[in-house]
Each structure stands twice: as C-alpha cells, then as structure tokens.
Amino acid sequence: GAVVSQHPSWVICKSGTSVKIECRSLDFQATTMFWYRQFPKQSLMLMATSNEGSKATYEQGVEKDKFLINHASLTLSTLTVTSAHPEDSSFYICSARVLPGGYTFGSGTRLTVV
Amino acid sequence: KNQVEQSPQSLIILEGKNCTLQCNYTVSPFSNLRWYKQDTGRGPVSLTIMTFSENTKSNGRYTATLDADTKQSSLHITASQLSDSASYICVVSDGNDMRFGAGTRLTVKP
C-alpha cells in the first residue's frame, strides 16, 4: 500500500534555530501533501496544503513565513519551522492524498524547542 | 461548530470487552468516511473507509457502520485487547477537504 515516510521522528532544538521535517512518498507520487500540527490530547489541525510545483496554501492563523513548506518533487515535501520557539513544540504530521479518495499519514515528528 | 462530532471523548474498558464509538457529521457533500487509529506519538493508521452506498465494513475485530441518511457512523471493537488502547479518529471527506473529529481516547485495562 501507499507509504509516507516522515523524518525525523523526534527532534530537540534550541530556541531561535530552524528545523526541517521531511515527508517522502515511497511507492507512489504525491501531488498533494498536507501538514498538520497536533497538541496533546487534541485532534489534528491542518496547517497547510502543498501541491507539487506550486506555493502551499496555508490555513488561517498559520504564519507562512514561519512554517516554510516546499513540495519540489512528486515524492518529497518538507516543512521547515524557522526561528523555533517553545510554543512551536508540538507533534507534526504529514499526509498524502492517495486515489481513490484516501489519505495516508506519516508517522509524525515530535518537536521540542528548548 | 465542528462538522464531525465524536463520542465519547474518552472510554475505559476491560480487556476482552466490546465497545462502540460514535461519529456524527454534518459535512456536505459527502464523499467518504474513514476511521483511523492513532497510537500515542504516532501517525494515524486507516482502519476502514466507507462511501455513501456502504453500510458496514469490517477489518478484523473492527467493524464500522454508516447511516448516510442520519449522518452517523459507529466503530465497534470486539474482544478488545491491550493494544487497542489508542485514539480513534473519524474523518469525513467532502471530496476535496477532510474534516477531522476530535477523536475518542480508548484505554483497555487488563
């Protein structure tokens, strides 16, 4: 089945630094990828939708200059958290649209900013 | 107001018992409904997917039902195991966007 590989699974960084999270579709081409953030005991919150070769579409309230999304190829999308702060600590998950009408998720990245 | 409402918010059952989780939605138009299992610190994993014409779908000990007229779905877990402890998320698609429920946190105790 369709598999999305997400790395790293966890990362600890210092406040003010940037962190890049990668999601790769291993056995299919992902023209559309979604990035979510999930706080403890809460549901997934969509941050942005990225389409290969075009600019990402951000949800209301999500700072596009802080959460940089690149979807330069059909198998790779990246999320870069720039100038990270402790309040950015969260669980970040990507997903890819898989035909017909399905979605497969990455395994998530636990970001801790200290 | 969330277009996908799940109940209960949390549930504790003893190993071996059955349980049923509920999902009510107002998403329109309706394309499909999925149940996902999310272990703590992991990404969601799909359990079942149902379209408008499907009433029930099974995946091992998991059985999902769908009533498209009343816009309700349920996920029934039979003979629960400790490994069933997780969050169960109902996701409804309108064909373009996914709408997530807040999830039901299930704890199975020995």
Side-chain angles (χ1 to χ4, degrees):
Chain A
V3 176
V4 172
S5 176
Q6 184 171 346
H7 293 281
S9 57
W10 61 270
V11 58
I12 301 173
C13 71
K14 290 185 177 181
S15 186
T17 61
S18 296
V19 173
K20 180 185 285 188
I21 302 170
E22 291 189 350
C23 273
R24 294 181 182 273
S25 55
L26 297 185
D27 48 5
F28 68 102
Q29 293 182 330
T31 55
T32 303
M33 278 202 177
F34 306 87
W35 286 94
Y36 302 85
R37 181 167 50 185
Q38 185 177 33
F39 293 105
K41 299 184 179 181
Q42 295 187 21
S43 188
L44 285 74
M45 298 292 293
L46 180 64
M47 299 175 65
T49 302
S50 73
N51 292 295
E52 185 266 337
S54 63
K55 289 184 178 180
T57 302
Y58 290 82
E59 295 298 301
Q60 192 173 10
V62 177
E63 300 174 60
K64 61 181 181 181
D65 294 330
K66 180 171 186 61
F67 299 100
L68 301 180
I69 291 174
N70 184 287
H71 194 164
S73 78
L74 288 171
T75 59
L76 175 64
S77 178
T78 61
L79 167 67
T80 301
V81 183
T82 63
S83 187
H85 291 283
E87 57 265 30
D88 298 324
S89 297
S90 187
F91 192 59
Y92 293 87
I93 308 174
C94 64
S95 76
R97 180 171 284 159
V98 179
L99 295 175
Y103 303 86
T104 188
F105 289 84
S107 55
T109 297
R110 170 73 59 194
L111 170 64
T112 303
V113 185
V114 297
Chain B
K1 182 172 169 36
N2 196 0
Q3 296 183 51
V4 181
E5 299 282 351
Q6 289 188 244
S7 62
Q9 192 173 43
S10 62
L11 181 63
I12 301 174
I13 62 174
L14 293 176
E15 185 179 12
K17 298 295 184 182
N18 304 334
C19 67
T20 300
L21 314 180
Q22 298 291 344
C23 175
N24 297 339
Y25 63 92
T26 60
V27 176
S28 182
F30 173 84
S31 177
N32 60 69
L33 184 149
R34 279 179 175 248
W35 283 94
Y36 286 89
K37 177 187 178 186
Q38 184 180 21
D39 293 313
T40 301
R42 305 290 295 175
V45 175
S46 180
L47 295 175
T48 62
I49 177 172
M50 287 185 293
T51 57
F52 184 87
S53 59
E54 297 175 294
N55 299 120
T56 184
K57 185 75 69 78
S58 290
N59 178 0
R61 294 179 297 102
Y62 301 102
T63 299
T65 65
L66 173 65
D67 186 333
D69 291 330
T70 61
K71 298 188 176 182
Q72 296 179 327
S73 176
S74 66
L75 179 69
H76 186 75
I77 303 175
T78 304
S80 61
Q81 300 176 358
L82 298 179
S83 59
D84 292 332
S85 295
S87 288
Y88 291 84
I89 304 171
C90 174
V91 183
V92 183
S93 174
D94 62 8
N96 285 316
D97 299 323
M98 289 190 288
R99 305 295 180 189
F100 286 80
T104 293
R105 177 69 201 175
L106 174 66
T107 303
V108 181
K109 292 194 170 183

